Amino acid sequence: MKRPLHRRPRRPKLATRRDGQEPQQPSSGVFSPSDQRDAPRQYWAAIAFVAIVVLAAFWKLATMKGLLISDDLFGSDLMNENFPYRFSLGSALKAGRFPLWDRNIYGGFPLLARAESGVCYPFNLVIFGLFPPYVALNITILLTLLTAGVGMYFYTREIGSGQLSRIFGAVAFAFCGYLVAHLKHLSMANAACWLPLALTLLERAISRDRVRPLLWFGVVFGLQHLAGNAQCAYYCGVLYLLYFAFRLVNHHDELQLRADGPNATRSLVGVVTDKLAWVFVAALLLGSLLAAIQLIPTYEMVSLSQRSGGVTFEYASQYAYDPHDFWTFFYPYVNGDPGDLTYAGSGIFWEDYGYVGALTLLFASYAALRCWRSWHVRFFSFTAIVSYVLVLGPNTPLYQYAFEYVPGMNYFRFPTRLLLLTDVSLITLASLGLTRVAGRIAAASGYAAADLRRVRRSWVFSAIAIAFLIGDLFHFQMRQNPIVDAEKWTKPPQTAAIMQRDASLFRAYCVGGVHSHRRMVELAGGWEGSLDPFVEQREFLQPSSNVLYGIASPAGYANLIPNYIIDVWGDQNRPGIITRTASTQGGVFQPIPLFWKLMRMYNVKYITSFWPFAPAPNLQSLGSYGGAYFYQNADSLPRAYLVGNVVNADDREDALQMLSSDAFDPAQAVLLEAALPNFQHTANVGGNVEFLRYAGNEAELKVRTFSSAILVFSDSYYPGWIAQVDGHETPVYRANITQRAVVVPAGEHRVLFQFRPTTVLVGLWVSLGAFIVLLGCFLGPLFWTKRDKAHRGSD
């Protein structure tokens, strides 16, 4: 008689083993789950082996003899973007303040609103808070690779791979093309490295019918969000949802089959009502809410940027995958090597790169062909195919369909980053494939205790496969990331050393930073030869490397910026008006008056340039360093100053036109897009401004003025900044497109600017609430168990 559909089948009792231990639960397909009572020395030895392989590959990082300076041909996402923000994080923590704002990037930048800074990622908080910045950077990279490898070891262990097959998978994932190529995008690698551990917890929860692993899964998913790459966390979240749903259905089918035999029918009602399904949904939600302190400020930044409301399909599919790069799965440099400037593909090499090793591909193919009965083989075969088709982007209609109809997909570009799912699928399949091959070598009909020679043969075969994999991946993957001599790199460039001796408040601006970087790449012939040109190129202080030396700049390097800042300074996707302020004639930089106006109003005192400047009365040459022409600008306004006139603009476009006109003088007037009520214009404002305190999240100024005036503070405007004049709150206006301004009455006053973003406060409370709920879920069962024991004892 069939069971009612609404009832979940009970687990069949299994015979007790002769040694008294509980036997293994039957597994799905052809693989048996690993013995959960493996000797601890077995997996500690595996972890140690993976650690040794990682440290051997990156020994220069482990010994602080070298630093990764992964290149993007126009800059380094690692050294010009990821590292400077983490440098700011460490500096703030060591100074005893919470890292909300960095005044050195784009005239001031909200760190939490830029998720990729990873400000709240616990490992960044600890490592960059305790260690010197370059040491912290190396530790972070090594831990990322180790976490990836160890996580894959435990996942393949959970789904039944043999011991050496797990190690094979661990090494393959730690050095897979996706992770190694994206070490330059450190927040992406930080998020991706947790994927196998999250799958481990999902598999453990379902196969053992336990809730606690799902709670830990929520924590891991929260860490992926906090790592700082929303795109990677989103793709992983989609994978988790599909994995859990199909695996839970599969598990119910297995239980039903064992309980009812050939007459078993699928009970979808039982799946939906399974407590694990509801706990999973809660864990997925709580994991996201754990990162609210970072996600909510980031959402505010998105609303101010060109990604507000999502991006267009054309923008998302820029730099599409080159289908010819499919062959890089077999030979990484079939289309050339970017390290020696021979790459000839139309896509971006490191975005298209997913090499996981020749043997990995071979064993994965074997598993897909010969082990199809295994649910995991079927799932990851489909995942590898579908994810790769999506990677192809506009080359197939599937990606456009997903972009238009799957919620959240329209916020991201570079579908090539779905290669993470392709790589993890291939590696999982390879581990299972190697397990099957080794098992066949050991014995045709199972392991025989008397036939030790075949067992040894299978171990030797697996060990040779691991050795070949290590040699293969070391040969190809270690060419992806140039490692420069640490002593040379950590020595401040001469331009920075000169500026560091200037005790005044000023900013520096780099002209032609991208051109200088491209020239250095050409001089070096890529990055597989001498890296000295890269060391010399630091003299330009290309944004945002200025942060590393405590030097402020009106420009920066970030992929998520308010539109009004891009309007002036631009970013890597859209030029600002600064690009229309000069031309080059005969190799000489010829600025127009608007260029000098911007330098003046943004407190730019020093300029590094790829080209020599045409002579100007306000410009003094300070020499040439490493190909960088170095100048001092004598006509820059103070960081904060007083004006008496207001020029009103109708909107941002109107404001940009007024700013560009010769009639607007920033020393005499301020440009506002909002009306200023009851302000009396004054032709000549007398007075002065003095900084009393100027920290990351606040600035206090003493202002003396003979008449009502407007205090223009050239730091960037951003929601969350409040101002007080003598303890009384006053409105903060967005002035001169990007700056801040407040009205100050006549007399002597104390003006206090503080960054108190509501989004951070709301995010903090949401994250704290999610943490408390998760903690309660962890501790609740312990409390009730102790209480029940106490009651039984009293009875």
Side-chain angles (χ1 to χ4, degrees):
M1 180 178 179
K2 296 181 181 178
R3 295 179 180 270
L5 290 179
H6 67 277
R7 292 182 56 192
R8 177 178 178 177
R10 300 174 63 185
R11 293 181 182 274
K13 291 185 178 180
L14 302 176
T16 305
R17 283 171 29 173
R18 292 183 179 181
D19 58 7
Q21 294 184 7
E22 183 182 344
Q24 291 291 329
Q25 294 287 348
S27 70
S28 61
V30 295
F31 298 98
S32 298
S34 59
D35 189 351
Q36 306 306 330
R37 293 177 176 80
D38 285 347
R41 66 169 181 251
Q42 192 174 28
Y43 51 80
W44 281 116
I47 292 171
F49 181 82
V50 174
I52 290 170
V53 173
V54 169
L55 293 175
F58 293 95
W59 67 269
K60 289 185 178 179
L61 273 60
T63 58
M64 277 307 298
K65 298 290 185 184
L67 296 165
L68 233 62
I69 57 166
S70 303
D71 191 72
D72 288 292
L73 300 182
F74 58 87
S76 170
D77 276 356
L78 182 62
M79 283 299 179
N80 293 121
E81 185 180 25
N82 281 266
F83 181 52
Y85 290 94
R86 286 164 175 76
F87 185 96
S88 296
L89 165 66
S91 300
L93 293 175
K94 288 163 187 170
R97 64 176 185 271
F98 194 77
L100 294 174
W101 186 263
D102 187 303
R103 72 187 192 199
N104 294 326
I105 301 173
Y106 279 118
F109 201 82
L111 287 174
L112 276 171
R114 185 187 179 279
E116 292 193 355
S117 58
V119 169
C120 293
Y121 186 50
F123 292 90
N124 283 342
L125 288 169
V126 173
I127 296 171
F128 282 89
L130 292 178
F131 295 96
Y134 285 105
V135 174
L137 176 64
N138 282 359
I139 292 174
T140 301
I141 292 170
L142 295 172
L143 279 180
T144 297
L145 297 173
L146 183 59
T147 301
V150 171
M152 181 55 75
Y153 171 85
F154 280 109
Y155 177 63
T156 50
R157 174 179 179 263
E158 197 66 33
I159 62 175
S161 290
Q163 171 68 0
L164 292 184
S165 300
R166 305 170 205 164
I167 295 175
F168 183 95
V171 172
F173 190 65
F175 292 91
C176 72
Y178 183 91
L179 274 181
V180 173
H182 286 295
L183 285 177
K184 64 183 69 188
H185 307 127
L186 193 53
S187 58
M188 195 183 306
N190 289 159
C193 73
W194 294 100
L195 172 57
L197 183 58
L199 291 175
T200 303
L201 295 167
L202 292 180
E203 180 67 28
R204 185 167 295 184
I206 295 172
S207 63
R208 305 185 194 182
D209 194 25
R210 293 181 183 174
V211 168
R212 186 170 288 265
L214 289 179
L215 301 179
W216 282 114
F217 162 77
V219 174
V220 171
F221 191 48
L223 286 174
Q224 286 188 290
H225 280 295
L226 290 169
N229 191 269
Q231 184 175 13
C232 183
Y234 171 82
Y235 290 158
C236 289
V238 172
L239 177 66
Y240 300 148
L241 188 61
L242 296 174
Y243 183 93
F244 184 86
F246 287 112
R247 183 70 179 96
L248 189 61
V249 170
N250 165 259
H251 186 62
H252 272 260
D253 287 349
E254 288 178 338
L255 293 177
Q256 195 80 45
L257 182 63
R258 290 201 297 272
D260 292 347
N263 297 322
T265 58
R266 174 169 292 178
S267 173
L268 294 179
V269 174
V271 174
V272 174
T273 58
D274 193 325
K275 66 178 179 180
L276 291 181
W278 295 99
V279 175
F280 167 74
V281 172
L284 206 62
L285 178 62
L286 286 172
S288 300
L289 294 179
L290 276 177
I293 188 173
Q294 196 162 280
L295 294 179
I296 293 178
T298 300
Y299 180 78
E300 180 182 49
M301 173 68 85
V302 170
S303 69
L304 298 171
S305 75
Q306 59 183 331
R307 297 198 188 189
S308 177
V311 299
T312 64
F313 179 76
E314 290 71 22
Y315 177 81
S317 55
Q318 278 182 332
Y319 310 112
Y321 185 88
D322 183 351
H324 293 97
D325 281 339
F326 168 77
W327 301 109
T328 61
F329 280 102
F330 302 90
Y331 179 70
Y333 301 110
V334 67
N335 297 318
D337 183 356
D340 59 15
L341 304 184
T342 59
Y343 176 64
S346 63
I348 300 176
F349 181 88
W350 41 86
E351 293 289 351
D352 293 6
Y353 190 66
Y355 185 70
V356 289
L359 279 185
T360 305
L361 205 61
L362 180 64
F363 289 133
S365 302
Y366 178 86
L369 294 172
R370 301 302 302 272
C371 310
W372 193 250
R373 289 178 55 202
S374 165
W375 179 87
H376 295 94
V377 170
R378 294 196 301 273
F379 179 83
F380 284 108
S381 296
F382 280 117
T383 301
I385 294 170
V386 173
S387 62
Y388 183 74
V389 172
L390 288 171
V391 162
L392 291 171
N395 295 298
T396 67
L398 181 62
Y399 173 68
Q400 185 167 1
Y401 180 87
F403 182 85
E404 292 176 356
Y405 297 105
V406 177
M409 282 288 287
N410 64 333
Y411 280 92
F412 307 112
R413 60 174 182 159
F414 286 124
T416 50
R417 291 174 182 177
L418 279 157
L419 277 171
L420 169 63
L421 307 190
T422 309
D423 276 7
V424 79
S425 299
L426 291 174
I427 292 165
T428 303
L429 290 171
S431 179
L432 295 174
L434 177 57
T435 299
R436 168 56 76 89
V437 172
R440 284 184 172 275
I441 293 174
S445 58
Y447 288 93
D451 194 359
L452 294 178
R453 283 184 301 175
R454 293 196 177 191
V455 175
R456 290 195 190 102
R457 243 181 249 166
S458 74
W459 276 70
V460 170
F461 176 82
S462 299
I464 292 173
I466 293 171
F468 183 88
L469 176 74
I470 292 173
D472 181 7
L473 296 181
F474 273 33
H475 175 69
F476 290 116
Q477 313 296 50
M478 297 309 295
R479 293 157 63 179
Q480 294 292 320
N481 295 285
I483 298 178
V484 71
D485 181 82
E487 186 177 355
K488 290 182 180 179
W489 193 267
T490 53
K491 184 180 178 181
Q494 296 178 74
T495 53
I498 292 171
M499 286 186 269
Q500 285 174 331
R501 293 196 288 267
D502 188 336
S504 65
L505 279 176
F506 64 86
R507 292 193 178 97
Y509 181 64
C510 173
V511 174
V514 172
H515 296 80
S516 71
H517 195 93
R518 287 173 176 164
R519 182 179 69 180
M520 294 305 168
V521 171
E522 292 171 1
L523 289 175
W527 59 70
E528 291 174 7
S530 172
L531 297 177
D532 287 343
F534 289 87
V535 177
E536 294 177 359
Q537 199 264 344
R538 296 174 311 134
E539 298 288 353
F540 287 87
L541 292 187
Q542 187 179 358
S544 297
S545 63
N546 52 283
V547 174
L548 308 178
Y549 312 104
I551 296 168
S553 172
Y557 184 10
N559 62 5
L560 199 61
I561 314 160
N563 281 320
Y564 52 85
I565 293 181
I566 299 178
D567 287 340
V568 177
W569 298 106
D571 66 358
Q572 61 262 49
N573 299 310
R574 182 158 64 90
I577 62 171
I578 187 67
T579 60
R580 304 196 296 269
T581 61
S583 61
T584 54
Q585 299 176 14
V588 176
F589 190 73
Q590 304 276 357
I592 64 175
L594 178 57
F595 177 87
W596 294 118
K597 183 191 295 186
L598 292 174
M599 297 300 106
R600 188 183 188 200
M601 64 189 287
Y602 281 95
N603 185 222
V604 174
K605 187 176 181 179
Y606 295 99
I607 299 172
T608 61
S609 176
F610 180 69
W611 305 276
F613 267 63
N618 58 302
L619 199 63
Q620 177 187 353
S621 175
L622 300 179
S624 178
Y625 303 92
Y629 296 95
F630 190 33
Y631 299 97
Q632 181 174 335
N633 174 28
D635 185 26
S636 63
L637 289 169
R639 185 69 58 93
Y641 55 94
L642 299 167
V643 298
N645 292 314
V646 175
V647 176
N648 287 113
D650 296 331
D651 52 33
R652 203 166 71 237
E653 287 298 323
D654 189 31
L656 285 168
Q657 290 181 8
M658 290 183 175
L659 179 67
S660 302
S661 72
D662 295 336
F664 175 71
D665 182 359
Q668 301 297 324
V670 62
L671 183 59
L672 298 178
E673 295 174 40
L676 201 60
N678 304 320
F679 179 75
Q680 299 296 322
H681 292 234
T682 306
N684 295 304
V685 175
N688 60 64
V689 179
E690 177 187 350
F691 278 87
L692 301 177
R693 186 169 73 256
Y694 192 18
N697 306 325
E698 63 180 19
E700 185 176 9
L701 303 87
K702 183 166 69 173
V703 179
R704 296 186 185 90
T705 177
F706 301 127
S707 61
S708 181
I710 298 175
L711 173 65
V712 179
F713 189 9
S714 63
D715 276 19
S716 292
Y717 172 89
Y718 195 79
W721 276 102
I722 63 171
Q724 295 178 345
V725 177
D726 297 331
H728 300 286
E729 191 166 332
T730 188
V732 179
Y733 298 95
R734 182 159 62 83
N736 299 335
I737 312 294
T738 71
Q739 300 174 346
R740 293 177 231 153
V742 296
V743 178
V744 181
E748 181 174 313
H749 305 279
R750 296 289 179 96
V751 180
L752 178 64
F753 288 92
Q754 290 181 309
F755 189 48
R756 294 181 179 176
T758 305
T759 52
V760 172
L761 186 61
V762 172
L764 175 63
W765 283 111
V766 172
S767 293
L768 187 60
F771 176 78
I772 291 172
V773 171
L774 267 174
L775 188 62
C777 293
F778 275 112
L779 299 180
L782 296 176
F783 171 78
W784 290 110
T785 302
K786 289 182 179 179
R787 185 177 177 182
D788 290 343
K789 287 182 179 179
H791 279 300
R792 286 196 297 268
S794 62
D795 292 342

